[in-house]
Amino acid sequence: MAAASTTKISWRLQEFEAHSRTVSCLSLGKSSGRLLATGGEDCRVNIWAVSKANCVMSLTGHKNPVECVQFSVSEEQVAAGSQSGSIRVWDLEAAKLLRTLMGHKANITGLGFHPFGNFLASSSMDTNIKLWDVRRKGYVFRYKGHTEAVRNLAFSPDGKWLASASDDCTVKLWDLFQGKTITEFKSHSAAVNVVQFHPNEYLLASGSSDRCIKLWDLEKFTMVGSLEGDTSAVRCLLFGPDGSCLYSGASDSLRVFGWEPDRCFDVVPVGWGKVSDLAVCNQQLIGVSHQLSSVSSYVVDLKRVKKSGGAVIQGIIQDNKPLTDPAEPKGAALRRNYDRPTTTCSSNRMKRSDTDRRSPDGERRSQSEDEAEDKQSSAEIHNAEDYREIFQPKHAISRTPPRISEPFPAPPEDESVLAIGRQLTDMMLPSPDKQQAPPLATSTPVQRVEPTVVSCAKRPNPMPCNPAPSSQPAPPTQVIPTKSQQQLRVIPSSRNEPLGLNVADFLPAAANHRGGALSDDSALSQIKKGHDTMCVMLSSRHRNLQTVRSVWAREDVKSALDAAVSMNDLSITVDVLNIVNLQPSLWKLDLCMTVLPQIDKLLQSKYESYMQTGSTSLKLIMKHFWTLISETLKASPAVGVDITREERHQKCRECCRHLKNLSNVVKNRARQVGRHGNAFKELQLLMAPLDEVL
């Protein structure tokens, strides 16, 4: 198991309930990669430590849903913008509201802290960009030029320029001191979602809904690269710490790009859905996404991701011959680097007109109104220990929490291992004269991973987590539990003993002839250890099922199953399929197209209950729809245009393709010996007619 855990490239770190209502925005602290801010429709901003499910601090004061959040470079402040156009800035170390900024007339869509000074840039649906001095009320300057909503902002590393991405398909570069546009880039064919400066060179990257990434030379103001590898809208961009590659986050995938020449180094499938933000720390990339009121975080091991060489140059080279890497980054010889100032910039260095210098909306508000709103804002500290550890005083020697400076450990190779079982395994006292009890699986196991708990199975040499004192060396038979775990390929759907818990440990010492039996307090502590985790997982599962149920009641079974599949949780899909399988009348050809890709995952699962559900669904499809599919594909083309027939033919062709893949899976699994092999042999016979058509 230890060896298997080291082969993972990406995994889900955690999933937790972040707000009482829908989450609308996320932001990671880029300096540490260990802080997360979330904003929601409950008008709150919550601060989290990555990998922990307990909220560190909750910031209140907004009267409208929070639409955008952003950490400062030092992670000592956080800013949040709302639907009403107001912005609030909190000092996290002092746990208090620092400033309320009023001036925008529509939703806040983007925020960015200046890398050196006390300045904050904001963008809005009102098409304006405003630069604020956090120490004062009213904006310093307003930048006008975009014709549609501005979606994203980024300061250059030297703090002299500001880049903006807009729905008008353009990227603008602004000179902060002159207060005017330097240039405008117009090569995108759809809304631009994100802009990112290279950490060292005069280079700017922009990602768009047209699925392209453009790279711009900021000396010549020309496009030097166009990367078109993504299959969906580009949602996040992040240059590597050394600037040698560019990470692109899209739906369910991470791509690693190089430029000059344009090439894709690697593609990593990650089930993070619509990722919202990326950060890099300890050679790991952290990605976060949200769905409804839940937030999920994912980890990609960058040590196992290709970041140079061995790539295909799009449009130039058509084979897979490796590229030779230069001795130093090519871009270093092509363009200059940023000159970072040693002092912070001040507002008096910027040209400001009398008409654009102040916030009209802010000036109309009286001082008493602002003070009244500020008094209503508060910072509620929910976890004092984590708060003291993370937000230490500015003059403390250690600025980052030492406990979270280590890389996040990878989970076991089979990602469906139950979190509660892993926690109980940590507390288990293995006996050298008996094998470990087989794990328990419920009828539809919850697939949640809690990697903050390091289990014994992940250590190079599995040893007891809490070994009893003994003067004799551990006998060699202690490796038997690990071996038995490796041999257990399928978790039965019903068993008599719990996962990771040795029942003999709780029997009287005389009965099991063992000294050092657990005391009552230790036994209770061991049993209760996984209780909270299981409650959280079951609550999350119940909430997701309620969402699916509401979709079913509001629309139809097809929409409900689509919602279940979109949650990336097989246990939810299994629960819905167990209901649908009991009602064959609900099945339609559209439903088959949704279910067939999920059956592939279910048949290859380690859980017997999952395989049983997948087998039942596959039998229903073959029994009720195979005749329709085969006859539709064999039918001769019709005369004239029949749109309905064409749509049906398309659906049947898609179902047939999935059935062909499933046939190969079934044939491979039918070679197994035992009960499961016999079950797959029955499916193989049922799917024999496929060979006549395919």
Side-chain angles (χ1 to χ4, degrees):
M1 187 68 73
S5 67
T6 61
T7 63
K8 275 193 170 293
I9 297 179
S10 65
W11 62 91
R12 181 165 62 183
L13 184 62
Q14 64 174 162
E15 180 180 7
F16 58 91
E17 187 81 2
H19 289 264
S20 60
R21 299 179 63 184
T22 301
V23 177
S24 52
C25 53
L26 302 172
S27 179
L28 284 165
K30 299 301 187 294
S31 298
S32 67
R34 294 297 191 262
L35 279 181
L36 172 65
T38 62
E41 292 184 356
D42 57 3
C43 308
R44 285 176 172 261
V45 176
N46 291 336
I47 308 298
W48 312 80
V50 175
S51 84
K52 296 184 179 181
N54 296 322
C55 180
V56 177
M57 188 189 312
S58 185
L59 309 173
T60 61
H62 278 294
K63 296 182 178 180
N64 299 93
V66 178
E67 293 289 316
C68 184
V69 290
Q70 186 67 44
F71 282 105
S72 65
V73 177
S74 63
E75 299 178 3
E76 296 172 356
Q77 298 175 359
V78 68
S82 71
Q83 280 186 0
S84 65
S86 66
I87 302 169
R88 280 174 167 78
V89 184
W90 283 272
D91 185 327
L92 297 178
E93 291 189 334
K96 68 176 183 180
L97 180 69
L98 193 63
R99 183 69 65 196
T100 300
L101 306 172
M102 309 291 293
H104 284 291
K105 300 180 180 180
N107 298 28
I108 302 297
T109 55
L111 293 168
F113 278 90
H114 193 276
F116 306 113
N118 295 302
F119 295 98
L120 174 71
S122 62
S123 61
S124 170
M125 295 285 287
D126 62 12
T127 74
N128 290 328
I129 301 169
K130 296 189 176 183
L131 185 69
W132 311 82
D133 187 335
V134 178
R135 298 164 297 185
R136 302 178 178 87
K137 292 185 178 180
Y139 56 80
V140 175
F141 204 91
R142 176 172 57 188
Y143 303 93
K144 298 183 293 184
H146 285 292
T147 58
E148 295 187 37
V150 183
R151 292 296 174 185
N152 191 247
L153 298 170
F155 282 101
S156 62
D158 59 3
K160 297 178 181 178
W161 296 343
L162 178 69
S164 58
S166 172
D167 284 353
D168 60 14
C169 310
T170 67
V171 175
K172 290 184 182 291
L173 191 65
W174 308 86
D175 188 315
L176 294 178
F177 303 145
Q178 298 296 325
K180 63 181 182 181
T181 307
I182 298 175
T183 189
E184 181 181 50
F185 303 117
K186 297 183 178 180
S187 294
H188 284 292
S189 59
V192 186
N193 301 322
V194 59
V195 285
Q196 181 78 20
F197 281 94
H198 191 283
N200 302 314
E201 304 170 18
Y202 272 40
L203 191 68
L204 178 70
S206 58
S208 167
S209 294
D210 62 10
R211 302 180 297 177
C212 294
I213 299 169
K214 307 290 184 182
L215 289 151
W216 313 93
D217 188 308
L218 300 182
E219 286 187 283
K220 302 176 182 178
F221 302 118
T222 58
M223 186 173 68
V224 297
S226 181
L227 311 169
E228 303 177 0
D230 282 310
T231 57
S232 60
V234 181
R235 301 180 57 83
C236 303
L237 289 177
L238 182 67
F239 280 100
D242 59 355
S244 61
C245 61
L246 178 65
Y247 301 108
S248 168
S251 293
D252 292 323
S253 68
L254 173 75
R255 281 174 165 78
V256 187
F257 290 109
W259 57 94
E260 298 175 315
D262 299 342
R263 57 203 188 277
C264 180
F265 292 135
D266 205 351
V267 180
V268 182
V270 189
W272 52 26
K274 295 181 179 179
V275 61
S276 298
D277 201 9
L278 303 174
V280 171
C281 182
N282 290 330
Q283 299 188 51
Q284 290 182 332
L285 183 138
I286 314 299
V288 289
S289 62
H290 60 89
Q291 183 181 30
L292 300 177
S293 59
S294 297
V295 171
S296 299
S297 59
Y298 293 79
V299 178
V300 178
D301 187 354
L302 297 182
K303 295 192 296 293
R304 300 186 174 275
V305 173
K306 296 179 182 178
K307 298 184 282 293
S308 63
V312 178
I313 306 177
Q314 301 172 358
I316 301 177
I317 298 177
Q318 301 300 325
D319 56 21
N320 290 327
K321 294 181 180 180
L323 298 173
T324 58
D325 293 330
E328 59 181 6
K330 186 175 180 181
L334 294 179
R335 56 186 64 87
R336 59 182 291 191
N337 290 352
Y338 295 105
D339 297 323
R340 289 174 172 80
T342 56
T343 59
T344 60
C345 58
S346 58
S347 60
N348 57 12
R349 295 175 60 189
M350 303 181 186
K351 293 186 177 181
R352 297 177 293 173
S353 63
D354 292 337
T355 57
D356 284 343
R357 193 170 75 178
R358 295 175 180 172
S359 168
D361 294 344
E363 291 300 317
R364 286 200 296 267
R365 298 169 59 87
S366 66
Q367 184 176 0
S368 60
E369 289 176 337
D370 285 340
E371 290 177 351
E373 280 209 357
D374 290 352
K375 288 180 180 179
Q376 295 176 359
S377 303
S378 65
E380 304 169 5
I381 299 176
H382 297 288
N383 193 318
E385 181 180 353
D386 285 345
Y387 171 76
R388 287 192 299 269
E389 183 181 7
I390 297 172
F391 302 108
Q392 299 173 9
K394 296 180 180 179
H395 301 294
I397 296 176
S398 175
R399 181 63 189 92
T400 56
R403 186 167 54 181
I404 58 177
S405 61
E406 295 295 326
F408 294 117
E413 187 68 22
D414 192 341
E415 60 184 16
S416 59
V417 175
L418 293 179
I420 184 172
R422 296 168 43 137
Q423 289 188 347
L424 290 176
T425 302
D426 283 342
M427 298 298 296
M428 190 175 57
L429 296 174
S431 174
D433 58 347
K434 57 171 66 71
Q435 293 189 4
Q436 180 181 350
L440 170 69
T442 58
S443 59
T444 51
V446 183
Q447 297 189 13
R448 294 287 188 271
V449 178
E450 188 63 45
T452 56
V453 180
V454 182
S455 67
C456 299
K458 291 188 287 185
R459 297 172 186 169
N461 297 311
M463 295 289 289
C465 291
N466 296 313
S470 175
S471 59
Q472 298 180 352
T477 54
Q478 63 182 343
V479 298
I480 291 178
T482 303
K483 184 177 179 181
S484 66
Q485 286 180 356
Q486 293 176 351
Q487 291 177 347
L488 187 59
R489 302 270 179 176
V490 177
I491 296 181
S493 56
S494 61
R495 275 170 302 145
N496 297 323
E497 295 185 352
L499 171 64
L501 199 62
N502 195 342
V503 180
D505 288 337
F506 301 95
L507 298 177
N512 57 11
H513 304 288
R514 269 185 36 165
L518 294 179
S519 64
D520 291 346
D521 291 340
S522 299
L524 289 174
S525 172
Q526 184 173 347
I527 294 173
K528 292 167 59 178
K529 183 172 177 60
H531 177 73
D532 293 339
T533 301
M534 178 58 81
C535 288
V536 170
M537 293 188 295
L538 292 178
S539 297
S540 175
R541 183 170 171 182
H542 181 256
R543 183 178 61 255
N544 289 339
L545 287 173
Q546 284 182 322
T547 301
V548 174
R549 181 183 179 183
S550 64
V551 173
W552 193 335
R554 187 174 63 252
E555 300 180 33
D556 55 14
V557 61
K558 170 66 166 54
S559 301
L561 196 55
D562 286 339
V565 171
S566 68
M567 293 175 180
N568 293 322
D569 187 347
L570 273 182
S571 63
I572 303 299
T573 305
V574 167
D575 287 339
V576 178
L577 281 179
N578 284 334
I579 298 174
V580 177
N581 288 341
L582 297 176
Q583 305 180 56
S585 61
L586 295 175
W587 286 80
K588 306 293 181 184
L589 198 58
D590 288 338
L591 192 66
C592 295
M593 294 178 62
T594 300
V595 173
L596 282 171
Q598 303 305 310
I599 293 178
D600 191 353
K601 300 178 183 178
L602 296 177
L603 293 183
Q604 300 188 64
S605 170
K606 66 178 286 186
Y607 292 108
E608 182 183 36
S609 59
Y610 284 23
M611 289 190 289
Q612 291 172 349
T613 300
S615 298
T616 303
S617 299
L618 184 56
K619 290 177 182 178
L620 282 172
I621 292 174
M622 290 297 298
K623 179 180 179 181
H624 295 281
F625 292 94
W626 173 243
T627 302
L628 170 65
I629 293 172
S630 59
E631 290 180 354
T632 301
L633 295 179
K634 291 178 181 178
S636 57
V639 179
V641 178
D642 188 343
I643 297 178
T644 303
R645 183 182 181 281
E646 290 296 326
E647 290 179 349
R648 184 169 63 252
H649 192 276
Q650 173 88 20
K651 295 175 183 177
C652 290
R653 187 165 58 249
E654 185 71 15
C655 289
C656 190
R657 182 177 66 83
H658 287 300
L659 287 171
K660 179 180 178 182
N661 295 335
L662 288 172
S663 178
N664 295 331
V665 173
V666 170
K667 289 178 181 177
N668 292 333
R669 301 297 293 270
R671 301 191 185 105
Q672 296 179 355
V673 179
R675 181 180 60 181
H676 302 293
N678 294 333
F680 279 101
K681 286 175 184 175
E682 293 180 7
L683 278 177
Q684 186 179 9
L685 293 175
L686 183 64
M687 301 182 73
L690 276 167
D691 297 331
E692 301 176 4
V693 176
L694 301 178

